[in-house]
Amino acid sequence: MLKKGTKCRICKNKGKNNKAVVFLSHHRLALCKEHFIEWFEKRVEKTIKEFKMFKKSERILVAVSGGKDSLALWNVLYKLGYEADGLYIDLGIGDYSENSKILAKNFADRIKRKLHIVSLKEQLYTIPTIKDFTNRPACSSCGVVKRYYMNRYAKELGYSVVATGHNLDDETAVLFGNTLQWDLKYLSRQYPVLLEEEGFVRKVKPLCKITEKESAIYSVFNNIEYIEYECPFSEGASSIEYKTLLNQLEEKHPGTKLKFYSEFLKKIYPIFKELQKEDKISLMKCRICGEPSYSEVCGVCRLKMLVDKKVKTN
Ligand code: AMP
Ligand code: FES
Ligand code: ZN
Ligand code: ZN
């Protein structure tokens, strides 16, 4: 909690007396608006460099959902002088998709960068249709479909890197879930950079050390309009439960999330990565669409076949 009258640490060091408006308890740092924005952008830049995510000479495709994280990320990359365009995947989830698309478009206009839009309705089926015709939870099909189109469009449009807005809360919730299950396969891939390989572009998460709250504050301070409600299918997802639990811990012991995540990256991930090398499954090309796949037919083509069949018999 920010105590009344607290001064911004940076301003104080410079002999100024500006009041702090944000208190970052896990960094024990009180900051004014200007210095919070500066802190945020420097932290993202440091993360990009720490994990060697990309260089200034590369073309970056930011996967933009219309939410605070991906729009904040796009703004930071733009301000840092990276060549970053956006990709919005219209999932066809009623008002949620319509409204988030408008916000993504408005932001692209504001920074005068290109926003590519992929419509699932035209390319495949909308998420609600896929949900109705398969027995799978919407979120799991949605994850497969989003990853597929992000990768495919980045390649087709000539971008070498896809950047997503996954934040520290997302990463710790996933890490917590994977640890509870001791899911070695996922643990060995949970890193903020997934290097390019045959058919796959590089994927990076420059906000992995930024909390959800920090990216919301950054967006508000920069007058970025973002979609404030969650996707209607996210209700009851276990990741939300894990986030709540981790936030309870964080409140009592500031720094818990960052420590859990960064110590995993430092101490545990290297061990799992070695394990992964031993039982690496070889990649093939999907016999239908030609995209990289771990089985003869990729996940998206399988979904499509399943829905095609159900639609015909209906
Ligand atoms: P989520 O999976 O909804 O937690 O989103 C994680 C990240 O995936 C976001 O920060 C975006 O970078 C990206 N993303 C999610 N939904 C979309 C979408 N509809 N279009 C493009 N990128 C998206
Ligand atoms: Fe994909 Fe909710 S955003 S199911
Ligand atoms: Zn200040
Ligand atoms: Zn395929």
Side-chain angles (χ1 to χ4, degrees), residues 111-306:
I111 61 166
K112 297 191 174 57
R113 295 292 320 192
K114 176 111 194 113
L115 178 72
H116 304 279
I117 298 180
V118 179
S119 159
L120 278 198
K121 197 173 169 195
E122 286 165 19
Q123 298 279 334
L124 186 72
Y125 289 106
T126 63
I127 294 297
T129 308
I130 296 176
K131 181 189 179 289
D132 287 347
F133 286 103
T134 59
N135 284 326
R136 299 175 62 171
C139 288
S140 82
S141 307
C142 181
V144 172
V145 168
K146 281 194 290 205
R147 282 191 294 276
Y148 177 92
Y149 285 105
M150 282 176 199
N151 187 61
R152 187 168 163 174
Y153 276 86
K155 279 191 299 179
E156 285 183 17
L157 298 164
Y159 296 89
S160 51
V161 195
V162 169
T164 56
H166 290 97
N167 58 37
L168 182 66
D169 295 67
D170 298 325
E171 293 307 292
T172 46
V174 172
L175 178 60
F176 190 60
N178 288 339
T179 306
L180 286 180
Q181 313 261 357
W182 288 119
D183 193 322
L184 300 188
K185 188 177 134 220
Y186 286 123
L187 285 168
S188 70
R189 287 178 62 81
Q190 198 178 350
Y191 201 68
V193 180
L194 282 180
L195 287 178
E196 50 275 71
E197 50 182 325
E198 191 63 37
F200 285 115
V201 298
R202 196 180 326 139
K203 288 176 200 87
V204 297
K205 300 172 183 174
L207 299 191
C208 64
K209 292 195 176 175
I210 294 285
T211 66
E212 209 163 285
K213 217 158 136 192
E214 287 157 3
S215 88
I217 298 172
Y218 179 83
S219 298
V220 171
F221 281 177
N222 283 287
N223 299 317
I224 298 172
E225 243 198 294
Y226 60 86
I227 187 109
E228 289 186 36
Y229 54 95
E230 296 280 339
C231 153
F233 294 122
S234 68
E235 212 176 298
S238 54
S239 60
I240 295 184
E241 212 174 316
Y242 296 154
K243 279 185 182 173
T244 310
L245 272 172
L246 289 162
N247 280 337
Q248 282 167 357
L249 278 173
E250 181 76 28
E251 196 139 310
K252 272 197 183 165
H253 312 284
T256 300
K257 285 188 282 196
L258 191 57
K259 188 119 186 133
F260 180 47
Y261 182 60
S262 28
E263 295 299 300
F264 161 78
L265 293 182
K266 235 189 287 169
K267 298 175 183 160
I268 311 296
Y269 172 78
I271 302 171
F272 286 152
K273 195 180 153 205
E274 280 307 305
L275 285 176
Q276 186 201 22
K277 274 188 193 155
E278 283 165 25
D279 42 43
K280 200 163 168 69
I281 317 160
S282 54
L283 265 176
M284 312 176 225
K285 273 189 177 178
C286 167
R287 74 170 157 79
I288 297 173
C289 69
E291 286 300 299
S293 169
Y294 290 104
S295 51
E296 208 186 311
V297 177
C298 78
V300 168
C301 289
R302 262 185 283 144
L303 272 179
K304 184 168 185 309
M305 287 188 323
L306 201 66

